[in-house]
Amino acid sequence: MKKSLFYFVVFFPLLTIAQTIKGSVKDNDGNSIPFANILIKENNNPSSIVEFTSARNGEFSTVLKKKYQTILVEITSQEYYNETFIINNPKTEEKYEIDFVLQKQKLTELKEVIVISEKKPYSIKQDTLTYNIDKYKDPTDKKVQDVLKRLPGIEVNEKSGEIKYKGKSVETVTLDGDNLFGYNYSLGTKNINIDMLEQVQAIDNYSENPLLKGIEGGEKVSLNLKLKKGKTDYSGNIDFGLGVNEELKILNNSNANILGVSKNYKSFGTVNYNNIGVNHSPFDYFSSNKSVEQQKESELSTHKIISETLFNNIIGDERANINNMLFSNYNSIFKINKRLSIKTNLYYINDNLKLNQLNSTENKIQNETFITSDNFYTIKNPHFYRGDVELKYNTSKNSLLEYKTKFSYENIKSNTSATENEINSFKSNLKSENIFLKQKILYTYKLNNTQAVQAQLNHAYNNIPQNLTLNNQNSPTIEKQNSNFKKTFFDAIINLLGNKSKHKYSFSTGATYEKTTYNSLNDLDPTSISFNNPNYFKKSVYVLGSTNYTLKNWSIMPAFSIKYLNQELNDIQNQNDKSDILFEPSFGARYKINNKSFIATKASLTQTVFSDEFIFTNPIMINNRIKISNTPTLEIQKTETYSLNYYNNNLYKQFFISVGVSYQKNNGNYFSNFAITENETILNNFYLKEKNDNLNLTLSTEKFVSKLSSTFKLTSTITKSNYKNIINTSDLRNNTSNSISNELDIKTAFNTKINFENQSTYLYSSNKSESIGTINNKMFTNTIKLKYKHSSSIFSVITGDYFIPNANNKNNDYLFLDFSFIYKPKGKKYEFNLIGKNLLNNIIFLQIQTSDFSKSTLQNNLISRYVFINFTYNL
């Protein structure tokens, strides 16, 4: 009863003051509109809705909750124009009936608007920087390596094939995420056509093992080549080139590449034959450049004491490498099922190199000056076979078992005719074999999301037998030198990795066993001590640890190594045994300024044994002039290294800079005692507890200047070294070597038919000895490439290479001219090239090499002028 009385007292006054509004909503044809909104507003404030209701099936009715002085009723319905009705001074308890007729809206057709936005040349997402290739490549680029050299922040060493990103050597180059090439990634960058590529991704914190993603320390970087969409099944290209040189010799440069991509299978194969100095393989038999893989496996391999003829040049192998090369390679990854995959890599090389060298050396020794000369003509025929197999098996969701094996066989025959001091003539035949086997078993178990443990076994075997026959044409003497290094390597290690609260760590323990044996015999004089037969053993047990603390923008990276090392050297004359406990600490720090730049520093102490190439004592004949011997030691070399680097890659401002300084000091080293005469050089390597040091400054910067539509790149290196040696029984001499290298690159991007690229290089070397003085040399080179765009499909390029090997003698300079005419129809699969090389027909090239006691003039023959037609077809 009380509740009913309460409702009556509260609501009765409202009912007595309310107005009622009702009505209908129809269209022009009198049809009821199914749904409409009824908006009640005050006329003096039409933007504010005070009450609301709706009309359904054309009818509405509402009782207003309040009393208004003026009422604005607005009707809205989709596809109809709005209508309004005003009630002035509405009366209490009055009922108002309003009938609305709404007008149909007229539809206006809008024309399609297309907004075109230019695709950015790059994008950044977490740890991945993606370059869109179309924004960087040039019409003259053919292979992936050509465009990689244009990407800011990426450096390419054309001689070794090594690629660096952020100043760090990349771990590998993957193909759509698959590690098809391993450390021999130059197979892909040298041979994959740029037209097959859409993007290049630079990846920080790379980890090939998926179980270690986010756990493993993030210091590795890699590149990933993303293929264009639709490049599935089988695709590739065929290049066929034919030409003639100055001597009317037929020249050829033909290759075929095929790429297979499917859900469970990926492969890349290449076959190349050429005799114009091109090397499509990662292995260099012409120069002394080692591939990335060969550098990483140096501890597993042994040595060639008798080296084949090699050539270090500044003009590029394609001008000096007179070859006849057949190279083939096949790489594949087959995913048998979700757990098991197999990867294979096959290699074959057959080459025939011809090299004519004239080496004239001015020696300044103990106030005496004399000149020696050697004229070599060498034919070198290398054969190389290799096969790799890698198995990966996920034994469970959190475990991975890997087995990798590699076997290679190399056979090199070198025949040399030599004239010594323009008087004595020699003929030599050298046969070298290199048998290498490497095996690795790796088991990874992921304990949880932050920890993993690994167990690893490694085995390697290397055998390098060599046989040298030297025939002195001025006497009936035939001298034979046999040399054979063998090395066996075993290693077992257990590794714990973790990542907790931005703190990554790695702790390892393991043991290593190495055995190196050497056998040599010289049969010229049976009465002399002419053979070596040392056995060298190295055994160690070690503990390694490294951490990476991240605190805001700082990364602190201490590391250590504790090793118990036992060495044993047994030869005919004596037996040596030595044990050491070695402690090797290091400390690194990195400060992240922003997402584009950082500063890094590192200090380390390493203690290493000396290379086992020094374990033999009696002389070994290397060629008609040089013999090498050693005074072996089991001493430990201590090396201190300090570095400081700044890196900034601002792609938005198109600016890149990398600045670094490093200092290295070796305490204890092998020194060389040279005994040099006009007819013979005897070199003895011996150990002294003396030091040598090296200071290195580097600068690399690149900037695109929009007002000039040009990119400027400066690379500069300054090196200063202090070292010691002995020449012809002199006292121990203090020597200093200084070198400066400056390189300036300019590339234009004018909106015209003509553009150019120019590269200028200045090299300065100075070698100073306290007893002789200073021997220096200055060298200047300049390469200019003029590019003319006749149309969207036709381009021509003229290249000029200018060399001054000795700036003190400007009359001794060289100019090389090349041209190429490119016809590349847009949207077509084929391309034509007309190429002319060495148009001025330079036959020889002379360069200068200096040391603290000599200046050598090295002259070698070149590939003569030729004209070439090349046809490319993309499958």
Side-chain angles (χ1 to χ4, degrees):
M1 183 65 180
K2 291 181 179 179
K3 185 181 291 187
S4 301
L5 180 62
F6 172 79
Y7 286 138
F8 177 80
V9 172
V10 172
F11 291 106
F12 180 77
L14 295 177
L15 294 173
T16 59
I17 63 172
Q19 294 92 19
T20 300
I21 300 174
K22 61 182 295 188
S24 64
V25 182
K26 297 182 180 180
D27 60 17
N28 285 333
D29 298 328
N31 299 318
S32 296
I33 295 176
F35 182 85
N37 293 316
I38 315 299
L39 310 179
I40 308 300
K41 304 179 181 180
E42 290 186 288
N43 193 35
N44 59 356
N45 187 16
S47 61
S48 177
I49 302 173
V50 294
E51 295 191 34
F52 169 84
T53 188
S54 61
R56 296 184 181 277
N57 299 320
E59 300 292 337
F60 71 93
S61 177
T62 181
V63 177
L64 301 184
K65 299 177 181 178
K66 293 176 61 178
K67 182 179 180 180
Y68 303 99
Q69 292 182 355
T70 304
I71 300 174
L72 173 65
V73 182
E74 182 177 359
I75 308 298
T76 67
S77 182
Q78 191 175 4
E79 299 181 357
Y80 293 88
Y81 292 111
N82 296 353
E83 290 289 343
T84 61
F85 184 84
I86 298 175
I87 304 174
N88 293 313
N89 300 314
K91 295 179 180 181
T92 305
E93 300 182 9
E94 186 75 23
K95 294 183 180 179
Y96 296 93
E97 188 169 344
I98 308 170
D99 295 323
F100 289 96
V101 177
L102 303 185
Q103 304 293 322
K104 190 80 171 180
Q105 292 180 350
K106 294 182 179 179
L107 298 178
T108 303
E109 183 178 357
L110 297 177
K111 294 183 179 180
E112 181 182 12
V113 177
I114 300 175
V115 179
I116 299 176
S117 176
E118 186 177 359
K119 192 175 183 180
K120 288 184 178 181
Y122 69 93
S123 61
I124 301 175
K125 185 177 180 181
Q126 296 179 344
D127 294 333
T128 302
L129 168 60
T130 300
Y131 299 92
N132 294 311
I133 295 304
D134 289 340
K135 299 299 180 181
Y136 294 96
K137 71 179 181 181
D138 185 88
T140 60
D141 294 338
K142 294 197 67 175
K143 303 298 180 182
V144 171
Q145 182 171 276
D146 297 330
V147 77
L148 288 180
K149 293 182 290 185
R150 303 181 185 277
L151 302 182
I154 292 180
E155 305 169 70
V156 179
N157 186 326
E158 294 187 59
K159 293 185 176 181
S160 66
E162 181 184 18
I163 302 173
K164 290 186 177 182
Y165 172 60
K166 290 187 176 181
K168 296 185 288 188
S169 181
V170 304
E171 188 75 7
T172 190
V173 177
T174 57
L175 191 63
D176 270 349
D178 288 318
N179 187 4
L180 195 60
F181 308 110
Y183 293 130
N184 284 329
Y185 50 72
S186 62
L187 282 167
T189 58
K190 283 184 176 182
N191 294 289
I192 295 179
N193 265 24
I194 191 64
D195 293 334
M196 302 179 68
L197 207 62
E198 182 177 14
Q199 295 175 335
V200 171
Q201 295 177 323
I203 303 170
D204 281 307
N205 303 317
Y206 171 75
S207 179
E208 183 183 357
N209 190 331
L211 297 179
L212 301 182
K213 186 66 175 177
I215 299 177
E216 190 176 20
E219 291 301 307
K220 296 179 181 179
V221 295
S222 73
L223 297 184
N224 180 47
L225 307 181
K226 288 202 70 176
L227 299 172
K228 289 182 177 178
K229 295 179 180 179
K231 293 294 181 182
T232 56
D233 297 330
Y234 284 94
S235 56
N237 66 278
I238 297 173
D239 284 286
F240 179 73
L242 199 64
V244 62
N245 66 3
E246 187 71 12
E247 295 81 27
L248 300 181
K249 178 183 176 181
I250 301 299
L251 302 179
N252 194 299
N253 181 22
S254 300
N255 67 81
N257 302 314
I258 187 166
L259 176 67
V261 179
S262 65
K263 182 179 179 180
N264 296 317
Y265 181 75
K266 186 172 293 181
S267 66
F268 178 78
T270 181
V271 177
N272 169 263
Y273 169 76
N274 81 92
N275 56 0
I276 60 170
V278 180
N279 181 16
H280 290 269
S281 81
F283 313 107
D284 191 351
Y285 288 102
F286 180 71
S287 302
S288 56
N289 302 303
K290 289 187 176 181
S291 68
V292 177
E293 182 186 56
Q294 288 171 328
Q295 296 174 37
K296 289 182 177 293
E297 293 181 345
S298 58
E299 292 186 356
L300 305 179
S301 56
T302 186
H303 309 278
K304 288 183 180 179
I305 295 300
I306 309 174
S307 60
E308 294 90 5
T309 302
L310 298 170
F311 177 58
N312 293 315
N313 69 92
I314 62 169
I315 61 172
D317 291 1
E318 293 186 22
R319 296 205 185 277
N321 182 13
I322 301 176
N323 70 337
N324 196 342
M325 183 180 190
L326 174 63
F327 168 65
S328 63
N329 167 252
Y330 184 73
N331 314 273
S332 68
I333 294 178
F334 181 50
K335 298 177 182 178
I336 299 174
N337 52 47
K338 292 183 179 181
R339 289 190 173 189
L340 180 62
S341 67
I342 181 170
K343 180 172 76 171
T344 58
N345 306 92
L346 304 174
Y347 305 80
Y348 172 74
I349 296 176
N350 181 11
D351 205 350
N352 193 53
L353 306 170
K354 297 180 180 179
L355 182 65
N356 190 2
Q357 287 184 335
L358 174 60
N359 187 1
S360 179
T361 303
E362 180 183 3
N363 300 279
K364 295 182 179 181
I365 302 174
Q366 296 181 348
N367 299 320
E368 179 184 1
T369 301
F370 60 92
I371 296 176
T372 62
S373 67
D374 294 282
N375 191 351
F376 296 97
Y377 177 73
T378 301
I379 299 177
K380 183 164 67 171
N381 182 213
H383 285 81
F384 180 77
Y385 309 84
R386 174 174 154 181
D388 303 350
V389 176
E390 177 181 316
L391 294 171
K392 289 185 177 182
Y393 179 61
N394 285 96
T395 54
S396 70
K397 182 180 179 180
N398 295 320
S399 60
L400 175 65
L401 179 63
E402 301 174 70
Y403 173 72
K404 302 178 182 180
T405 183
K406 176 177 76 175
F407 177 79
S408 65
Y409 174 75
E410 177 186 82
N411 184 348
I412 303 177
K413 295 179 180 179
S414 299
N415 298 317
T416 302
S417 298
T419 302
E420 182 184 87
N421 299 330
E422 300 182 355
I423 300 174
N424 300 320
S425 297
F426 298 86
K427 285 190 175 181
S428 67
N429 298 302
L430 173 63
K431 181 180 179 181
S432 300
E433 295 180 86
N434 190 341
I435 302 167
F436 184 71
L437 172 65
K438 175 186 173 183
Q439 298 181 90
K440 177 180 178 180
I441 299 176
L442 176 62
Y443 178 74
T444 304
Y445 183 75
K446 187 175 181 180
L447 300 172
N448 49 53
N449 290 333
T450 61
Q451 285 184 316
V453 64
Q454 291 183 304
Q456 182 174 320
L457 293 174
N458 297 291
H459 166 249
Y461 172 78
N462 194 198
N463 183 15
I464 304 181
Q466 293 182 282
N467 297 288
L468 173 64
T469 301
L470 183 65
N471 186 356
N472 189 336
Q473 299 294 100
N474 300 323
S475 71
T477 304
I478 297 178
E479 189 172 1
K480 294 183 179 181
Q481 176 71 63
N482 299 327
S483 171
N484 190 190
F485 259 112
K486 292 181 182 180
K487 184 173 185 177
T488 302
F489 175 91
F490 289 100
D491 182 47
I493 185 170
I494 295 176
N495 188 22
L496 174 67
L497 302 99
N499 180 11
K500 290 187 178 181
S501 301
K502 297 184 179 181
H503 167 214
K504 294 184 178 181
Y505 57 87
S506 172
F507 294 100
S508 307
T509 181
T512 300
Y513 171 83
E514 293 182 37
K515 178 183 179 181
T516 303
T517 63
Y518 182 67
N519 292 281
S520 71
L521 176 65
N522 188 305
D523 67 348
L524 181 62
D525 185 1
T527 62
S528 66
I529 300 177
S530 57
F531 62 94
N532 292 281
N533 189 26
N535 294 311
Y536 174 62
F537 300 90
K538 185 170 66 174
K539 292 162 279 186
S540 65
V541 179
Y542 55 87
V543 176
L544 311 174
S546 65
T547 60
N548 187 334
Y549 293 94
T550 301
L551 182 62
K552 293 185 178 180
N553 291 339
W554 282 95
S555 293
I556 309 299
M557 296 163 285
F560 73 92
S561 167
I562 300 176
K563 180 186 297 184
Y564 171 77
L565 174 67
N566 175 261
Q567 299 180 80
E568 184 180 343
L569 178 60
N570 304 322
D571 60 17
I572 299 171
Q573 299 178 0
N574 52 55
Q575 294 185 359
N576 295 315
D577 187 279
K578 188 173 185 295
S579 297
D580 296 274
I581 296 179
L582 309 179
F583 176 62
E584 298 175 308
S586 72
F587 179 83
R590 176 179 295 182
Y591 178 73
K592 182 180 178 181
I593 302 173
N594 50 46
N595 290 331
K596 307 173 187 66
S597 60
F598 63 83
I599 297 175
T601 184
K602 187 175 183 179
S604 65
L605 170 66
T606 57
Q607 302 189 67
T608 56
V609 299
F610 291 96
S611 174
D612 49 21
E613 65 182 304
F614 298 125
I615 64 175
F616 64 88
T617 303
N618 297 315
I620 302 297
M621 178 181 65
I622 303 302
N623 54 35
N624 58 290
R625 181 182 291 278
I626 301 176
K627 292 183 179 178
I628 296 179
S629 63
N630 305 290
T631 303
T633 185
L634 298 181
E635 295 294 330
I636 304 297
Q637 181 189 55
K638 297 182 179 181
T639 302
E640 300 173 41
T641 305
Y642 309 91
S643 65
L644 177 65
N645 297 278
Y646 169 74
Y647 179 91
N648 187 334
N649 188 18
N650 191 327
L651 291 174
Y652 179 75
K653 294 184 177 180
Q654 301 185 70
F655 173 72
F656 164 78
I657 186 171
S658 175
V659 183
V661 56
S662 63
Y663 175 75
Q664 180 175 295
K665 180 173 70 173
N666 294 324
N667 296 294
N669 206 343
Y670 265 99
F671 295 86
S672 299
N673 182 1
F674 292 91
I676 302 175
T677 67
E678 293 186 3
N679 297 315
E680 188 177 45
T681 297
I682 298 177
L683 173 63
N684 178 259
N685 300 301
F686 63 98
Y687 172 80
L688 284 179
K689 288 186 177 180
E690 297 284 343
K691 75 170 186 176
N692 58 40
D693 57 9
N694 178 283
L695 178 65
N696 192 55
L697 305 173
T698 60
L699 166 66
S700 179
T701 182
E702 183 175 345
K703 173 64 178 175
F704 176 75
V705 181
S706 58
K707 291 183 178 180
L708 299 176
S709 298
S710 301
T711 300
F712 297 83
K713 182 178 181 181
L714 174 65
T715 305
S716 183
T717 304
I718 301 175
T719 303
K720 181 177 182 180
S721 302
N722 298 301
Y723 64 98
K724 295 177 173 63
N725 63 4
I726 296 176
I727 306 295
N728 285 10
T729 67
S730 67
D731 294 332
L732 191 65
R733 309 186 323 161
N734 294 313
N735 308 294
T736 301
S737 175
N738 298 315
S739 66
I740 300 174
S741 171
N742 292 313
E743 180 180 299
L744 176 63
D745 295 341
I746 303 174
K747 299 176 183 178
T748 65
F750 303 140
N751 190 22
T752 62
K753 291 182 176 293
I754 298 179
N755 278 281
F756 72 88
E757 297 179 10
N758 192 85
Q759 181 184 88
S760 299
T761 305
Y762 174 77
L763 302 172
Y764 170 79
S765 62
S766 173
N767 293 274
K768 182 179 180 180
S769 173
E770 59 184 0
S771 61
I772 293 179
T774 303
I775 299 176
N776 57 49
N777 186 55
K778 302 173 184 178
M779 183 183 301
F780 175 78
T781 68
N782 190 83
T783 298
I784 186 168
K785 183 183 291 186
L786 298 174
K787 299 180 288 185
Y788 185 75
K789 182 179 180 180
H790 301 269
S791 67
S792 60
S793 301
I794 302 176
F795 311 88
S796 59
V797 181
I798 298 177
T799 304
D801 290 336
Y802 180 62
F803 296 90
I804 305 178
N806 185 355
N808 298 322
N809 181 12
K810 294 184 179 180
N811 293 324
N812 181 30
D813 58 352
Y814 299 88
L815 176 62
F816 295 86
L817 287 180
D818 307 325
F819 82 88
S820 62
F821 182 82
I822 305 167
Y823 175 56
K824 190 174 184 180
K826 191 173 182 179
K828 301 296 182 181
K829 292 186 176 184
Y830 59 86
E831 174 184 341
F832 286 96
N833 288 263
L834 177 63
I835 302 169
K837 282 278 192 178
N838 192 10
L839 299 181
L840 300 180
N841 200 31
N842 293 289
I843 303 300
I844 61 172
F845 182 80
L846 183 148
Q847 66 186 56
I848 308 296
Q849 295 177 344
T850 62
S851 71
D852 57 279
F853 61 88
S854 68
K855 176 181 283 189
S856 297
T857 302
L858 183 64
Q859 175 184 296
N860 68 282
N861 57 326
L862 302 176
I863 298 174
S864 62
R865 172 171 51 205
Y866 68 85
V867 179
F868 207 78
I869 297 177
N870 190 84
F871 171 75
T872 301
Y873 184 78
N874 296 313
L875 303 175

